[in-house]
């Protein structure tokens, strides 16, 4: 079982049209994209506050990139992680 640990900055968690959660946008490599679970942390030293089983990882659309653009960094290639929340399991996970 592979867990993708992410430091969630800002308010980028949203509910998808099918009721799952999406955390965007991340520059993930191939290894990170193959994770089974995601754990979102507010800070590296804190327990995860949200996470679950990854359903899919997809590239952000042009509309999503435009809506999130802040002009400081290129957003091309940013990935969105869609997951099914599992609170009981992920509250025990720490970043190693």
């Amino acid at each position: 079982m592979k867990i993708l640990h992410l430091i969630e900055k800002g308010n980028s968690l949203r509910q998808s049209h099918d009721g799952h959660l999406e955390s965007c946008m991340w520059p993930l490599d191939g290894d990170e994209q193959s994770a089974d679970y995601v754990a979102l942390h507010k800070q590296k030293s804190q327990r995860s506050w949200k996470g679950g089983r990854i359903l899919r990882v997809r590239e952000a659309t042009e509309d999503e990139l435009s809506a999130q653009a802040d002009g400081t960094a290129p957003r091309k290639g940013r990935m969105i992680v869609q997951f099914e929340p599992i609170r009981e399991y992920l509250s025990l996970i720490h970043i190693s």
Side-chain angles (χ1 to χ4, degrees), residues 2-93:
K2 194 160 138 187
I3 301 169
L4 173 63
H5 291 274
L6 299 172
I7 307 299
E8 186 73 20
K9 296 178 181 172
N11 189 17
S12 62
L13 191 64
R14 64 180 183 207
Q15 190 164 3
S16 66
H17 66 279
D18 57 5
H20 296 107
L21 293 178
E22 290 185 334
S23 180
C24 62
M25 300 180 197
W26 304 97
L28 304 176
D29 63 29
D31 187 50
E32 292 169 324
Q33 290 180 39
S34 68
D36 303 303
Y37 293 87
V38 62
L40 302 176
H41 302 261
K42 295 285 187 187
Q43 295 179 8
K44 187 174 182 175
S45 61
Q46 294 180 345
R47 291 177 183 245
S48 62
W49 68 278
K50 185 73 76 174
R53 185 176 59 88
I54 295 175
L55 301 172
R56 72 183 188 134
V57 177
R58 66 175 176 82
E59 192 165 350
T61 66
E62 288 298 323
D63 288 341
E64 290 168 327
L65 291 169
S66 296
Q68 294 290 321
D70 61 7
T72 61
R75 306 297 275 184
K76 184 91 174 122
R78 295 293 175 122
M79 307 306 287
I80 293 177
V81 178
Q82 186 179 67
F83 64 98
E84 177 181 43
I86 304 173
R87 181 177 16 161
E88 301 81 19
Y89 176 75
L90 290 170
S91 65
L92 303 175
I93 296 174

